[in-house]
Amino acid sequence: MQPAKKQQHIFICSECGYESRKWLGRCPDCGSWDSLSEQQPKSSPRLGRKAATAQPLTQAVAEEQERLRTQINEMDRVLGGGIVPGSLVLIGGDPGIGKSTLILQLLASLARQECPTLYVTGEESARQIRMRADRLHIHEASIAVSTENCVEAIIDLALQTRPALLAVDSIQTVFSEEIGSAPGSVTQVRESTARLLHLAKENHIPILLVGHVTKDGAIAGPRVLEHMVDTVLYFEGDRGQVFRILRTVKNRFGSTNEIGVFEMKESGLAEVDNPSALFLAERPVNVPGSVVMPSVEGTRPILVEVQALVSRSSLGTARRTAIGADPQRVALLTAVLEKKLGVTLFDHDIFLNVAGGVRIVEPALDLGVVAALLSSFFERPLDPSTVVCGEVGLAGEVRAVGQMELRLREAGRLGFTSFLMPESCCKQLQKKDNKDIQIVPVRTVSELAERLFGPQS
Ligand code: TYD
Ligand code: MG
């Protein structure tokens, strides 16, 4: 005979949702201290009460669903062509970055297409929303606003009004009556999302959730949320800057790493169709340490300016700072330069910045970083009509990166005349007609240094 199952205690980390049978001082998953607290044992969420059914995969093939186009091109591209019916989209970002503004503008754009929408906000009062709408010149009556924050009531309201899109700003303010813990706790956020997910899937109502981001960049508390939703978008940018970037982190219905570029203006967010020109607008010409790199985010090429400042350190340990690029990667490239070119960098402070508040994650940035570091170190500016792009390996070799044609076209379009790239990429390109831009193959970092600054002694 099996022993009767004892009621289990469960402790949940309020930062990341890690579950443990016993209390721990430090969460083994995310490393935060004193974040585990005891929660009611969860009755497994029983989302539907219908008997389970199954069908052959071949019959499950659904017709291509019509997407709801927001008519904001930057947004539609990031979503993979519009909002899929019944999908759950999470938009994360720092407070004050412009999430609520973006959502209101999106709802207004849908309203102009005769799509009624429901905007549920637990963050602000209806009056505050109205003030923002006035500022954005939004006066569409088909946007319904509610300040409800009980998830059961929100679901009832959505079922009554049947909006073409439901926006919930933010998921951290929503709570379920059936759960004991406080709003904003991991259990609440997770359960509320599960209920909204059910609403979306059963009734084909697409839902947009806003989520706050913690200091270390994860959508607050539950990373589990990212697994539950269909699409995760991050709205990023420097609050001191006007550019805002909407980035896809996960998308079940489209490619990831797409970006949308916006500019925060007096009367709301404006789309930027030509980001390269914008990011290069204030580029200093003939200044050491400034290099242009054609980056490809998803399907979109963007030219960015990499800036480096290498100067002798007055401290015992040299400083290393990288903004917009991975600091580890910059450290690695610095080591490669020391070893392969014999430049002495250990006693130099290194500051690296990708201008305009953009963050570049692709390895194609490597060659740009190397060129910028060398240019600043040698105090020799690059020819302003040159762009560089490629990955650098530990042996100092320059390795191939993808989408070269796109990068080349964008560089050509913006009037650049010389493109330093990995030799292995040139072969595919030479057949094509690139008469306005000269392709310069480089195989190693030493070759790059020679091409840019002449023979090194
Ligand atoms: P908001 O959408 O409230 O940010 P979030 O919801 O992400 O917290 O926007 C906050 C900032 O945007 C605020 O500091 C003011 C600025 N802003 C503008 O510059 N122009 C505008 O038209 C609006 C509405 C806001
Ligand atoms: Mg807000």
Side-chain angles (χ1 to χ4, degrees), residues 291-296 306 329 333 360 362-371 387-393 396-402 404 407 419-425 440 442-443 445 448:
V291 173
V292 178
M293 200 291 281
S295 170
V296 175
V306 188
R329 196 92 201 154
L333 295 169
I360 304 290
E362 59 161 353
L365 183 69
D366 290 357
L367 214 57
V369 172
V370 166
V387 293
V388 304
C389 173
E391 183 180 346
V392 173
E397 80 280 18
V398 177
R399 309 170 73 113
V401 292
M404 237 353 145
R407 300 175 202 264
F419 195 141
L420 276 77
M421 63 168 75
E423 191 185 38
S424 42
C425 292
V440 185
V442 283
R443 280 171 301 181
V445 284
L448 174 88

Side-chain angles (χ1 to χ4, degrees), residues 94-101 132 135-136 264-268:
D94 289 334
I97 203 76
K99 300 180 295 297
S100 305
T101 309
R132 181 181 290 117
R135 184 171 178 186
L136 300 171
M264 182 59 100
K265 293 197 167 157
E266 250 325 283
S267 56

Side-chain angles (χ1 to χ4, degrees), residues 287-291 370-382 453:
V287 170
S290 160
V291 173
V370 166
L373 291 175
L374 290 175
S375 162
S376 177
F377 182 78
F378 294 138
E379 290 281 337
R380 300 267 304 274
L382 253 71
F453 311 109

Side-chain angles (χ1 to χ4, degrees), residues 71-221:
Q71 303 291 4
I72 300 175
N73 287 336
E74 298 294 302
M75 183 91 196
D76 282 336
R77 180 184 32 246
V78 170
L79 288 166
I83 300 170
V84 172
S87 66
L88 200 57
V89 179
L90 177 66
I91 300 188
D94 289 334
I97 203 76
K99 300 180 295 297
S100 305
T101 309
L102 181 69
I103 291 204
L104 203 55
Q105 286 184 248
L106 190 152
L107 298 184
S109 177
L110 289 177
R112 273 176 231 124
Q113 301 171 55
E114 319 275 312
C115 293
T117 50
L118 176 57
Y119 185 22
V120 176
T121 170
E123 300 257 317
E124 292 161 300
S125 65
R127 196 165 150 266
Q128 279 171 303
I129 303 290
R130 178 66 205 266
M131 277 161 59
R132 181 181 290 117
D134 284 345
R135 184 171 178 186
L136 300 171
H137 309 294
I138 292 173
H139 304 288
E140 272 76 13
S142 58
I143 305 175
V145 178
S146 163
T147 50
E148 182 57 64
N149 44 17
C150 163
V151 72
E152 284 80 15
I154 295 172
I155 292 173
D156 286 345
L157 186 61
L159 288 175
Q160 264 168 38
T161 52
R162 293 252 154 207
L165 179 77
L166 166 65
V168 179
D169 188 359
S170 68
I171 188 65
Q172 275 91 4
T173 58
V174 175
F175 71 95
S176 164
E177 289 170 333
E178 291 164 29
I179 290 164
S181 49
S185 71
V186 173
T187 330
Q188 279 290 9
V189 169
R190 192 166 43 182
E191 286 303 310
S192 306
T193 309
R195 274 154 220 233
L196 290 170
L197 180 70
H198 186 231
L199 169 76
K201 301 290 165 202
E202 287 283 292
N203 302 284
H204 304 285
I205 299 175
I207 303 180
L208 214 65
L209 300 177
V210 171
H212 289 300
V213 165
T214 53
K215 275 191 256 78
D216 32 329
I219 289 185

Side-chain angles (χ1 to χ4, degrees), residues 302-380:
I302 296 182
L303 299 189
V304 293
E305 185 200 347
V306 188
Q307 298 182 322
L309 187 70
V310 181
S311 60
R312 193 166 277 282
S313 176
S314 50
L315 301 169
T317 10
R319 277 180 293 176
R320 303 276 188 262
T321 306
I323 303 166
D326 177 8
Q328 305 273 28
R329 196 92 201 154
V330 176
L332 183 149
L333 295 169
T334 312
V336 170
L337 290 184
E338 290 213 315
K339 183 88 180 163
K340 297 294 160 192
L341 296 183
V343 290
T344 338
L345 292 170
F346 73 90
D347 56 352
H348 281 71
D349 290 332
I350 294 180
F351 302 96
L352 194 107
N353 180 33
V354 181
V358 220
R359 191 167 55 85
I360 304 290
V361 284
E362 59 161 353
L365 183 69
D366 290 357
L367 214 57
V369 172
V370 166
L373 291 175
L374 290 175
S375 162
S376 177
F377 182 78
F378 294 138
E379 290 281 337
R380 300 267 304 274

